[in-house]
Amino acid sequence: MKQFQSWYENHHQYCKDWKARTGGKIVGYMCTYVPEEILYAAGILPTRVLGSHEPHDVTEPHIFGMYCPFCRDVLAQGLKKRYDYIDGLTISQSCLHIRQAFTSWQMHLPLEWSYYLPMPHHVQSPRAVPFLREELVSFKKSVEEWTGKEITDEALDHAIDVYNTNRRLMRQIYELRKAENPPITGLEAMYMVVSSQFVDKADHNKELERVLQNIDGRLADREVGTRLMIIGSENDDVAFMSMAESVGATFVTDDHCTGSRYFWNEAPQDADRLNALAIRYVERPRCPTKDWPERSRIPHLLSMAKEWGVEGVILIQQKFCDPHELDIPAIKKAFEEIDIPTLFLEFDVTTPVGPFRIRVEAFLEMIRGEDLF
Amino acid sequence: MVKSSLYPTEQLKCWGKAKELRDAYYQNYANAHKKGGLRWAGGAWTFDAVVAGLGDDVYCLTSEPYGASIAFNKELSRECMEAAERAGYARDLCSYMRNYWGSIIIDKYAFGGPFPKPDFIWQDHICCSHSKWYQVVSELEKGIPMYCTDVSVGPYSQMTDAKIRYIVDQLHDGIEWLEKTTGRKYDDEKLIQAVLNDCRTTSLWAEICELNKAVPAPLDEKTMYSLYVLATLQKSSKEIADFYEELRDEVKDRVARGIAAVANERCRVMSDTQPPWSFLKVFRHLEQFGVVSVGSLYTFGLEGIWEEKEDGTWGPAKRRNSWAKSPKTATKRSGHWPSGTFPNRSGSTSIARN
């Protein structure tokens, strides 16, 4: 587990070392709807562009202050040259805020290659898979033109296999968190998933296999406390996770694009590889921007909470995140209808850990029915 | 402050008619059930022509103009936004939405009486929250059938047949959904007529905007908002297309006679993005200094249909008057407007004279 943390804390160094070792290209991606398999099949390392959780002022001339802190933090990393090792940049359609970070990056930090992928929003329509398949054809062609190398079916098969393996292994570890004494904490799960978003999946798979071999009985003596689920927008705020798990709670599962939403489903077997990928991305657990007209997230979240024995839910959102703000009232209501209490917290580039600690402690006291006086 | 008149000015002759059309629109929607008709709701840029195939007694309420109408009434707007916030919706969400939801929650229609519940929702997803807006409307009204079309297929300059196919296929599915939801038989002829009206409305509006190149400008932005809004209500309506023809002729006549919107026009500006609906009088304030706002993204781009002409200039799209032999998709027709919209082609946002 320490390896995941080490990778997370040394994100840029890992990528630079990978580049020095392989001589390959690295592409930054700004949304987890990007079909990384196609990049991987071209010998490219996809690395998710994340923020650094440091206050900054470099994005003020480029993005309105009422855009979400995550998209501003992401752009700040570019402007501060922290991703100066990437050769290309891509994004799949998700929300307007992160797209602004992408277009601003294109404008101010031009790269050899950049690509906007119009991932459909109407993923509940039968028209979404054929449309996305066609978009993936164009995406693949663009990558091939850039690298000057054909992406063969064999390379795609290999990439899909490596990615599916990664998803399967992380899912296995998540399954183990259903146990009375989960063998990993929520913080560790976050390190694991977020590191998978930039570490070569082949390396990551080896580490996951090693972890699985030694996981029995792990953390058996740790006090689990209240079993929590965390739901919301992008979240790699390890300081918050660490704090919440230090006051008598354990996150046993989550619904984040830096968590379960990233790896929950695999690409199916299909002779048409791009169709398989289109199905995978259309059917994955949804980002709120794509969850309509039905609220498919709610039954998924409720079922997850039931299976993982969740006692309380922390709903978080990046400040000003409209899509999540449009889901949170319905999610809160759905949980409260089945007597699972919720706590809503608004995240910024940095979180006020002290005040949040008081709110989390009060929430836990309420769940445990403790008398205050 | 510049008070002296440099140009003659006069009121628009068709102003009263514009107001009548708008009032009739909101009343027709509210009273639809009394006449055995249907009510539907959707955004100002939804495919309203498609719903026209259900019959002539199907009336809509478009959301952004309705939210803006509430904004004009400050007290009602405050009530609506507070109600939306009490219901759990964040105060930094779009205020069009919060006004609209609040109007449902407090059950007050901005044009009198209780909020008239729509029978179905027909929306399109033009930003990352447009469908979510109506997901909430459906929930607030305890479940209204909803169909939404995703139009976000990427930049217009990169249009492909597959992207258009995605939208067209969703609309075909939508027509089946409309038939199933309403129990009505769909009439293709009515659709065709409505699409032609839509084309007429949007290209006529672009022609009207283009006339504002003239010095002095025949229209000012505040007035344009009251006129452009008709297209956002129902661009496929014959009455609105006909009205724009009348308006175009009147504006053309104003240009020919040198009639100004602002008699002391000295400086021309344009504005960007959402209008200050609750404070439109800011434009009147500017006029005291001889400043006329001649247009904006909203007035030009949201309802005007434009095209690049063969000679490389940019102007109102040619109107289609019949459905015969549909031309190959015109990829250069769009609401996109380059810097050449106004006389100053340098890209600056204002043109000072004198």
Side-chain angles (χ1 to χ4, degrees):
Chain A
M1 281 293 167
K2 288 282 175 206
Q3 179 62 66
F4 299 131
Q5 181 177 354
S6 168
W7 275 330
Y8 175 82
E9 289 169 354
N10 299 287
H11 178 159
H12 300 309
Q13 195 55 51
Y14 174 85
C15 293
K16 286 173 186 169
D17 291 347
W18 181 92
K19 195 167 190 171
R21 191 172 75 237
T22 65
K25 290 182 187 295
I26 299 184
V27 165
Y29 66 96
M30 287 189 171
C31 171
T32 56
Y33 274 98
V34 165
E36 289 176 60
E37 293 91 332
I38 294 173
L39 297 168
Y40 194 77
I44 295 167
L45 177 69
T47 183
R48 187 168 184 190
V49 184
L50 294 163
S52 67
H53 300 283
E54 298 162 294
H56 59 76
D57 58 4
V58 294
T59 60
E60 296 307 316
H62 309 299
I63 300 192
F64 286 125
M66 39 63 72
Y67 273 45
C68 91
F70 175 64
C71 79
R72 286 184 287 126
D73 202 7
V74 160
L75 179 61
Q77 303 314 303
L79 296 171
K80 290 181 166 186
K81 314 281 185 203
R82 288 181 177 159
Y83 281 83
D84 56 359
Y85 52 84
I86 63 172
D87 304 284
L89 186 71
T90 185
I91 191 172
S92 50
Q93 172 166 252
S94 47
C95 70
L96 296 176
H97 291 195
I98 195 70
R99 187 174 174 183
Q100 176 71 25
F102 174 74
T103 51
S104 194
W105 192 310
Q106 275 183 315
M107 184 182 292
H108 300 293
L109 303 152
L111 290 159
E112 279 179 24
W113 180 83
S114 66
Y115 198 95
Y116 172 76
L117 175 71
M119 167 76 206
H121 275 315
H122 199 176
V123 291
Q124 294 180 18
S125 162
R127 309 300 178 177
V129 169
F131 169 63
L132 180 57
R133 188 200 169 277
E134 289 306 308
E135 290 299 325
L136 295 184
V137 170
S138 305
F139 182 80
K140 176 171 169 277
K141 188 163 169 268
S142 175
V143 174
E144 288 171 333
E145 283 170 1
W146 174 43
T147 58
K149 201 174 105 187
E150 188 196 350
I151 299 172
T152 62
D153 281 349
E154 291 70 32
L156 271 176
D157 287 342
H158 174 68
I160 291 171
D161 182 49
V162 169
Y163 271 68
N164 276 350
T165 301
N166 192 255
R167 290 163 182 145
R168 200 175 311 130
L169 293 172
M170 289 205 282
R171 185 84 189 252
Q172 277 178 35
I173 291 177
Y174 264 52
E175 289 292 320
L176 297 173
R177 299 170 77 191
K178 289 176 177 173
E180 203 172 318
N181 275 72
I184 68 167
T185 64
L187 174 65
E188 289 172 325
M190 182 171 279
Y191 284 134
M192 174 182 80
V193 182
V194 178
S195 64
S196 79
Q197 298 185 340
F198 60 85
V199 166
D200 183 326
K201 292 284 196 289
D203 295 344
H204 205 262
N205 287 347
K206 282 183 201 152
E207 184 59 20
L208 287 169
E209 280 163 358
R210 201 189 63 74
V211 165
L212 275 164
Q213 279 168 10
N214 300 295
I215 206 162
D216 284 348
R218 191 173 182 275
L219 304 186
D221 298 331
R222 181 179 174 276
E223 189 68 41
V224 175
T226 304
R227 298 174 71 89
L228 295 178
M229 179 175 185
I230 184 160
I231 297 172
S233 40
E234 184 282 338
N235 174 23
D236 67 327
D237 196 318
V238 292
F240 173 80
M241 299 295 284
S242 172
M243 176 279 289
E245 291 192 318
S246 73
V247 292
T250 301
F251 290 107
V252 294
T253 192
D254 68 76
D255 180 72
H256 284 311
C257 62
T258 41
S260 66
R261 284 209 297 273
Y262 177 63
F263 66 83
W264 212 242
N265 66 325
E266 296 179 26
Q269 290 280 338
D270 193 326
D272 181 340
R273 281 82 173 170
L274 296 185
N275 200 54
L277 290 177
I279 292 169
R280 191 269 157 188
Y281 285 92
V282 163
E283 292 185 352
R284 62 164 266 188
R286 282 146 192 170
C287 168
T289 55
K290 300 184 192 300
D291 199 32
W292 51 269
E294 301 302 323
R295 288 196 185 274
S296 72
R297 290 184 72 208
I298 289 182
H300 171 66
L301 297 176
L302 296 183
S303 135
M304 207 181 213
K306 191 177 166 195
E307 287 183 41
W308 269 259
V310 168
E311 297 168 286
V313 172
I314 295 189
L315 296 166
I316 70 109
Q317 64 160 93
Q318 294 286 331
K319 193 174 179 176
F320 305 132
C321 173
D322 289 4
H324 279 278
E325 284 177 344
L326 286 157
D327 270 11
I328 283 171
I331 293 172
K332 183 175 157 65
K333 183 166 173 270
F335 273 108
E336 287 171 357
E337 279 171 1
I338 58 165
D339 293 325
I340 295 183
T342 61
L343 170 68
F344 170 71
L345 296 172
E346 189 177 71
F347 277 28
D348 208 323
V349 170
T350 58
T351 48
V353 176
F356 275 9
R357 177 195 298 272
I358 293 167
R359 293 178 67 182
V360 171
E361 281 176 340
F363 181 59
L364 297 175
E365 283 165 6
M366 184 188 75
I367 291 172
R368 293 193 291 255
E370 289 173 3
D371 287 331
L372 287 179
F373 304 105
Chain B
M1 194 175 290
V2 181
K3 286 184 176 169
S4 58
S5 293
L6 300 170
Y7 304 104
T9 186
E10 62 184 39
Q11 282 196 328
L12 276 172
K13 295 182 184 71
C14 61
W15 183 251
K17 190 164 182 183
K19 286 178 77 173
E20 280 169 24
L21 274 171
R22 180 172 172 270
D23 288 346
Y25 170 87
Y26 285 112
Q27 293 311 322
N28 284 339
Y29 170 79
N31 298 324
H33 288 176
K34 289 181 192 161
K35 303 171 196 163
L38 292 173
R39 294 197 290 238
W40 67 273
W45 296 278
T46 193
F47 297 91
D48 59 285
V50 176
V51 188
L54 289 177
D56 297 330
D57 57 348
V58 182
Y59 299 93
C60 62
L61 178 70
T62 51
S63 33
E64 292 87 351
Y66 182 65
S69 298
I70 293 173
F72 188 71
N73 179 341
K74 288 189 180 59
E75 183 52 32
L76 178 62
S77 181
R78 186 186 58 73
E79 268 188 77
C80 289
M81 289 203 270
E82 285 178 358
E85 197 173 338
R86 274 199 302 278
Y89 298 100
R91 66 169 64 177
D92 54 80
L93 281 169
C94 161
S95 51
Y96 282 134
M97 281 199 273
R98 286 179 295 133
N99 274 342
Y100 191 102
W101 296 336
S103 175
I104 294 172
I105 295 167
I106 64 174
D107 199 19
K108 277 188 191 173
Y109 190 45
F111 300 92
F115 184 82
K117 178 179 172 177
D119 298 306
F120 63 90
I121 290 164
W122 177 258
Q123 171 66 311
D124 63 349
H125 196 53
I126 57 171
C127 78
C128 52
S129 54
H130 259 71
S131 59
K132 309 293 286 184
W133 177 336
Y134 276 99
Q135 200 172 38
V136 173
V137 169
S138 176
E139 286 164 357
L140 289 173
E141 294 282 22
K142 313 288 179 218
I144 302 174
M146 167 176 167
Y147 191 87
C148 185
T149 304
D150 178 17
V151 295
S152 47
V153 293
Y156 212 95
S157 57
Q158 293 165 22
M159 201 54 64
T160 62
D161 286 348
K163 290 172 195 280
I164 293 169
R165 173 57 49 201
Y166 172 55
I167 298 173
V168 170
D169 284 344
Q170 287 179 81
L171 290 173
H172 282 148
D173 294 344
I175 289 172
E176 280 180 27
W177 180 90
L178 285 170
E179 285 190 313
K180 199 173 152 194
T181 302
T182 64
R184 290 192 174 198
K185 181 96 185 112
Y186 196 79
D187 184 339
D188 285 353
E189 288 306 315
K190 288 191 186 300
L191 164 70
I192 291 167
Q193 197 50 55
V195 171
L196 293 174
N197 289 337
D198 181 313
C199 296
R200 199 152 64 92
T201 296
T202 51
S203 58
L204 276 165
W205 178 251
E207 282 183 49
I208 293 163
C209 292
E210 191 189 33
L211 289 167
N212 239 22
K213 282 180 176 175
V215 178
L219 296 172
D220 64 282
E221 193 179 344
K222 183 173 185 293
T223 302
M224 289 173 92
Y225 283 132
S226 299
L227 300 168
Y228 116 110
V229 81
L230 297 172
T232 70
L233 298 180
Q234 197 173 11
K235 60 180 98 29
S236 65
S237 143
K238 181 178 181 305
E239 287 72 23
I240 289 169
D242 289 348
F243 172 77
Y244 275 178
E245 218 154 277
E246 193 179 330
L247 175 64
R248 188 270 322 269
D249 292 344
E250 188 181 343
V251 176
K252 207 184 245 181
D253 176 61
R254 284 168 75 93
V255 171
R257 294 189 294 120
I259 303 298
V262 175
N264 58 342
E265 175 184 321
R266 289 181 65 247
C267 179
R268 298 159 68 92
V269 299
M270 55 189 258
S271 71
D272 185 20
T273 198
Q274 286 88 344
W277 290 119
S278 56
F279 193 60
L280 289 175
K281 63 183 177 189
V282 68
F283 292 109
R284 295 288 176 253
H285 175 72
L286 293 173
E287 287 166 11
Q288 294 177 59
F289 301 92
V291 177
V292 59
S293 182
V294 294
S296 60
L297 169 70
Y298 252 56
T299 51
F300 275 56
L302 299 195
E303 291 301 345
I305 190 85
W306 306 83
E307 66 185 2
E308 285 171 29
K309 305 288 184 187
E310 279 175 13
D311 63 0
T313 60
W314 184 77
K318 237 179 249 164
R319 261 179 287 155
R320 180 184 294 179
N321 295 315
S322 77
W323 204 246
K325 287 268 177 191
S326 164
K328 196 171 168 9
T329 307
T331 54
K332 290 186 175 176
R333 289 163 68 102
S334 74
H336 169 70
W337 48 316
S339 57
T341 307
F342 299 106
N344 175 13
R345 298 181 71 93
S346 69
S348 74
T349 53
S350 68
I351 306 162
R353 294 184 290 109
N354 299 336

